[in-house]
Amino acid sequence: MQADFGRFTHAVMRAAPDSLAAQALRSGPAELQVDIEAVRREEEQYVSVLEKTLGLRVVRLEADEELPDCVFVEDPAVVCGNTALITRPGAPSRRKEVGEVMFAKPVDATPVTATLDAGTPVVATPFFVGLSKRTNRRGAEILADTFQDYAVSTVPVLDTLHLKSFCSMAGPGLIAIGSSEAAQKALKTMQQMSDHKYDKLTVPDDLAANCIYMNLPDKGHVLIHCTPEQFPESAKVFEKLKDHMLIPVPNDEKRKVDGCLTCCSVLINKPSKV
Amino acid sequence: MTTEVGSEPEVKKEPEKSSEEAQAEQQQQLAEQPAEPSESEPSAAAEPQPTPTDSTKPDNTDQQENAEAEPSSPPPSSGQKKEKGISRFLPPWLKRQKSHSQVEPKESSSPTDTPNQTLTEKQEEEEKEEEEAEAAEEQVGKAPEEAEKRQEEAGPKEEGEAVSPVVEQPAETKEVKAEVKEEVKAEEVQAENNSVGSVETQPAKEEKEGTSAEKKGEKGGEEVQESSVLSPLKLGKKMKIVVCHVTLLDGTQFPCEVEKRAKGQYLFFKVCEHLNLLEKDYFGLSFKDNADQRCWLDPTKEIKRQIRNSQWQFAFNVKFYPPDPSQLTEDITRYLLCLQLRQDVSSGRLPCSFVTHALLGSYTLQAELGDYDPEEQRLDSIADFQFAPSQTKELEEKVVELHKSHRGMTPAQADVQFLENAKKLSMYGVDLHHAKDSEGVDIMLGVCANGLLIYKDRLRINRFAWPKILKISYKRSNFYIKIRPGEAEQFESTVGFKLPNHRAAKRVWKVCVEHHTFFRLTNPEQPTKSKFLTLGSKFRYSGRTQAQTRQASTLIDRPAPYFERTSSKRISRSLDGAPVISVSDHGHMLDSARTPGSGENGHDPALELSSDSKSPQVEEEAEPGKGAVAGAVPAELPFETGTDGADSSETKSKLRVQGENIYVRHSNLMLEDLDKTQEDVLKHQASISELKRSFMEAAPEPRPSQWEKRLTGSPATGLRLQAQGSLEEELTSLFLSKARFTGLAASYSTAAAPAESAVTASSEKGNVHLGTVSSAESRNIDQPPVVKTEMVTISDTFAAQKTEIATKEVPIVHTETKTITYEAAQLDGTGDGEPGVLMTAQTITSESLCTTTTTHITKTLKGGLSETRIEKRIVITGDSDIDHDQALAQAIKEAKEQHPDMSVTRVVVHKETELAEDDD
């Protein structure tokens, strides 16, 4: 486990284009209406938490109407330490997102040719890469080549797009995991693969397991998680975490286009420069 | 050569079959239950085998029965024991040849009448024998139940060997009885014809092996025939010395001469000694086998048998990468680990990212070059360092940039930082083996501290932690792990991997056994009680586990040893190393030539334990010792008859056993003229150079101790008088023939009142010292500079008899006495004729297993000043595997700690070596 696990100074985000409402990829029913204004409100709240509450420097990229999914900046890049792996998103419509995100990264970046949604790995030891329709094996191998200090393991992800759709790190050695069978199965795999013993935080709703953990110098353990309005039962579970500074952030609208909390930003630790 | 090539496949096939059977049965058994030994044995024996080697099976069984039938006769069982693993498996046809070849030793000793034909024949035989040895080894590995059974039967003996020197004793008896053996020969042949491997055949076998070893050595050309050089000290064929070349982690070569039949650990200890390494359990010696695969040298087996036809070329490597290097006790250990990791990183064996390469490189620079110095360190000089498999200018620049930020960091701190970063790498300490999964897909098996990792391409596709693994086994070229059922599952599953060949399968199996034992168990597994690894050879990890080595490390109590870093090597070598090195190289030769016991002792894993009183196992050692007391009695008898001439040493050892004073003679010897060659003296100087340094450098650390408490009531400490403690150390090591040695050891560890004898002995000796050594006087000088004077007295009392006895092939007792005295400078200046008034005198004796410490405290009043002299006499009884220098350094350190207000004025090292030629 890295000593600076969860330490971030910057966040890269991208504004949501109007085209998101109609054109963004979604796994749910296509007729589901997305209120772009609601999405933007959520976004503002998100930015304000990062900037005002947590003191991160947020780099915001312009929206691109041609890229309806561009708000989900997490997917085009995997950042760990000083290295960013620029991915080739599994969805062809999203591959153009990469260019701009790459230039925005204040870290060394490596472009990738294989299919990899960066939303798939859970940065832990080892890296867990969910093999799904958005991420293939080759992508995982390239990730392994890029982050040679880490072991990279794959976890089959059957139903959802990303491993992070039901799983994320809620603290050092703490995995937040959904209750679904798929999620629990994935957890088993991860526990077996890992050199470390992870504690698990099981939340009733899979999507609620997607949370953002940070360890900030003057704030300690910070966890950005779902709101009680969205997932009342899961929110209660998070509220039991006594050592964490808990910040519920709404994500109801973006969820309609498969957006998670983690999807909306790329967190970077670059204390001195940029 | 042709023979070998031709028959090797056969040899391999046969054990495989049997093991397959064994495996099949094994598979049906419940995971945690050790296989019933009897189950597979019949099947193995029943297996029809057309190859000539098939006779090994019945033969084994017969031998087994035989051994069981006469357990009461120690000499035969000794033969069996000594021969474990190899000759047991020898088919009768080979044995027959062998008994015919029993005359060979004589033939070869008089080379003029050895016909060429015989020579070639012998060579062939030898070749075959090699194969046999190999076959045996594999068979052991593959017919596990059989092996296990054998183990159980031979259990007390073999286990004993692992813990106690005592068990070696009967083996020596056999040697003692060399003459008797020849008479037995006729019987032997008959016995062999009946395919009944009488235990008596084993000594014969042994002899033959000796011969073949000789032959091989001649062929290899590496052999150093020393008879001309050291004729009075050695006995003909005994002195087969081979130069091993060990590549150390800093890339230098360490030539080390070992007796041809020395076990792996002998060489390993020599290397550790050379490196001044105490936390040695993490390390090992490796060699490349014929297929250029890296193998670990098994410390408990003869080197020769392991390397087979390969060169005597080894590499010193980290074998078990400590998961948390910060828990290592000594900087020198961490330094060596760093060296290994630098190699691993730069060779690509330990992959890491650019950033990590740069970071590790920067710590390397800090450790090797110190603070960044823009004057000296330009990029071109940095290029001498290899930080990564493919090193770019960019990387070098990054390394330098990071190096600048480490200003002020000591080399040791830089090493710590290096290790803290390296240990996080996912491939840290992972030993990779190529394999295929059940579908024939290329994968890698990674054995590490936590378990077994499976990689496909660059991804970790599975991981089996040790607790998840119930059993590991191998069969032919397959390697299997049996997995504990998960919470929801009912049955354990077995996962199989295909290795490139049988040897590879066995290698990965062995590595697993060792890693499992080292990292997961607290104590090495007792083979018979095996719960975890029921299938496979009787091979077990024989060293200390991490838990044990950590425990032992906490007791390391020496001043941090000085060691040279690679970059400073050139300079320091020319400063202090050159003369010592050349001499010590020579010294090794002399040493092993003159004290074959040391090579012999290399055979016995138990000796390591006995030399290290820190190991918890040492206690256990006493047990087998006790058991062997009875055995020691018959062992001594032949000895007495054999060494009529060597009466005084004989007497000495006997007296010692009986608890009478045995040191008087040594004191006399101390006064004898120096009659050794300059080389001997220099050699000894070399071997004690470390000790000297620690003696000089170690600053007294005031620390309350038991001893201090005892002394608080004494006037000396009460007056805060700066008195000098005269410290005398006596290290006595006995090189007896094993039979006698073990007998002695037994008596020491079990005798009801050995303290008595020790006290008598030392007080006797103390008198001598008091008489001959001037008293310590300078009272008011704080920490006076210490000047060491050295006198080495080596008395080769029995050299003459030795040669004479050699022809008779009876054990030779050779006593060697060395005394080195270190004295404080001012001793000479003070009149020691000035008689003091003796105020008090007391003698305290304390004992541990192999050391007896006698403290003689005298307080005298001289010229109005009271002086307290403490003489500590530490008798360390043991064999060559004791690191005397370390023991002495330890003793000095302890003494200083116990009496922080006193200074050490004199150290007398008295080393007595008694050797018996181990003829085979």
Side-chain angles (χ1 to χ4, degrees), chain A residues 108-121:
Chain A
D108 307 322
T110 316
V112 163
T113 48
T115 308
L116 177 75
D117 266 21
T120 37

Side-chain angles (χ1 to χ4, degrees), chain A residues 1 3 82-83 126 137-138 140-141 144-146 148-154 188 191-195, chain B residues 351-356 401 424-427 450 453 455-464 468 487:
Chain A
M1 193 63 60
N82 290 326
T83 309
R137 197 179 174 87
R138 175 91 185 115
E141 284 168 18
D145 285 346
T146 309
Q148 289 196 53
D149 296 354
Y150 300 89
V152 176
S153 287
T154 56
K188 277 229 167 64
Q191 282 176 329
Q192 184 183 332
M193 287 304 189
S194 175
D195 299 324
Chain B
C352 50
S353 64
F354 176 86
V355 178
T356 308
E401 184 193 319
K424 290 182 201 159
L425 296 168
S426 79
M427 297 305 284
N450 296 322
L453 302 166
Y455 296 89
K456 184 175 167 191
D457 299 317
R458 286 136 292 182
L459 302 179
R460 182 189 289 185
I461 57 167
N462 217 336
R463 175 178 176 276
F464 301 99
K468 281 284 282 180
E487 290 156 25

Side-chain angles (χ1 to χ4, degrees), chain B residues 174-347:
Chain B
K174 169 213 87 198
E175 282 159 20
V176 168
K177 284 179 153 181
E179 296 150 77
V180 186
K181 245 188 327 191
E182 298 194 6
E183 296 167 13
V184 184
K185 252 187 273 172
E187 283 174 29
E188 266 171 44
V189 177
Q190 251 183 335
E192 283 160 7
N193 282 335
N194 298 334
S195 188
V196 177
S198 152
V199 272
E200 282 296 335
T201 61
Q202 257 103 39
K205 176 74 191 164
E206 184 92 313
E207 216 163 9
K208 197 232 162 178
E209 274 156 17
T211 324
S212 68
E214 205 173 323
K215 298 256 132 185
K216 266 200 100 173
E218 281 161 16
K219 277 192 284 176
E222 287 233 31
E223 188 118 347
V224 181
Q225 292 288 357
E226 296 209 20
S227 34
S228 55
V229 188
L230 295 154
S231 46
L233 298 175
K234 49 154 276 150
L235 290 177
K237 62 177 190 244
K238 245 332 284 176
M239 298 307 154
K240 293 298 162 245
I241 301 298
V242 175
V243 183
C244 296
H245 296 276
V246 182
T247 308
L248 303 178
L249 287 167
D250 60 7
T252 56
Q253 289 279 326
F254 171 60
C256 181
E257 290 173 0
V258 300
E259 198 206 343
K260 186 131 205 171
R261 293 179 46 220
K263 288 189 175 174
Q265 67 176 225
Y266 176 77
L267 178 60
F268 180 63
F269 287 165
K270 280 286 174 202
V271 174
C272 291
E273 192 179 73
H274 173 78
L275 293 168
N276 200 11
L277 173 68
L278 293 187
E279 293 174 284
K280 45 182 173 260
D281 303 287
Y282 299 96
F283 301 84
L285 292 174
S286 65
F287 62 93
K288 290 281 173 74
D289 69 6
N290 297 335
D292 207 36
Q293 293 295 312
R294 188 178 79 158
C295 303
W296 290 106
L297 191 67
D298 187 335
T300 63
K301 286 190 191 161
E302 286 182 23
I303 299 169
K304 180 169 69 74
R305 294 208 183 289
Q306 299 181 62
I307 60 169
R308 294 190 288 175
N309 295 324
S310 307
Q311 297 290 303
W312 290 71
Q313 176 77 48
F314 305 90
F316 180 80
N317 287 117
V318 173
K319 188 173 186 182
F320 304 113
Y321 289 75
D324 186 1
S326 65
Q327 288 198 30
L328 296 173
T329 300
E330 295 201 297
D331 287 340
I332 190 170
T333 319
R334 267 187 289 273
Y335 169 66
L336 292 172
L337 178 58
C338 278
L339 289 180
Q340 175 72 65
L341 287 164
R342 284 181 205 164
Q343 260 180 39
D344 294 348
V345 168
S346 64
S347 68

Side-chain angles (χ1 to χ4, degrees), chain B residues 162-163 278-282 320 327-329 514 516-526 541-556 608-609 612-620:
Chain B
V163 265
L278 293 187
E279 293 174 284
K280 45 182 173 260
D281 303 287
Y282 299 96
F320 304 113
Q327 288 198 30
L328 296 173
T329 300
E514 292 179 323
H516 171 262
T517 310
F518 186 80
F519 289 111
R520 180 140 170 86
L521 302 185
T522 10
N523 299 304
E525 207 169 14
Q526 292 304 310
Y541 174 64
S542 57
R544 289 197 288 221
T545 64
Q546 180 175 240
Q548 287 172 329
T549 195
R550 277 186 186 164
Q551 197 181 353
S553 299
T554 60
L555 299 172
I556 291 178
E608 175 195 8
L609 301 173
D612 189 348
S613 54
K614 294 154 195 158
S615 165
Q617 288 186 325
V618 175
E619 264 102 67
E620 294 167 25

Side-chain angles (χ1 to χ4, degrees), chain A residues 23-25 66-70 75-76 87-99 113-117 133-135 161-162:
Chain A
Q23 294 167 38
L25 300 167
E66 307 221 330
L67 303 169
D69 288 301
C70 68
D75 295 333
T87 65
R88 179 166 170 270
S93 67
R94 299 197 55 190
R95 288 184 187 155
K96 277 190 193 164
E97 291 174 26
V98 166
T113 48
T115 308
L116 177 75
D117 266 21
K133 53 186 164 183
R134 291 276 179 89
T135 298
L161 292 183
H162 299 148

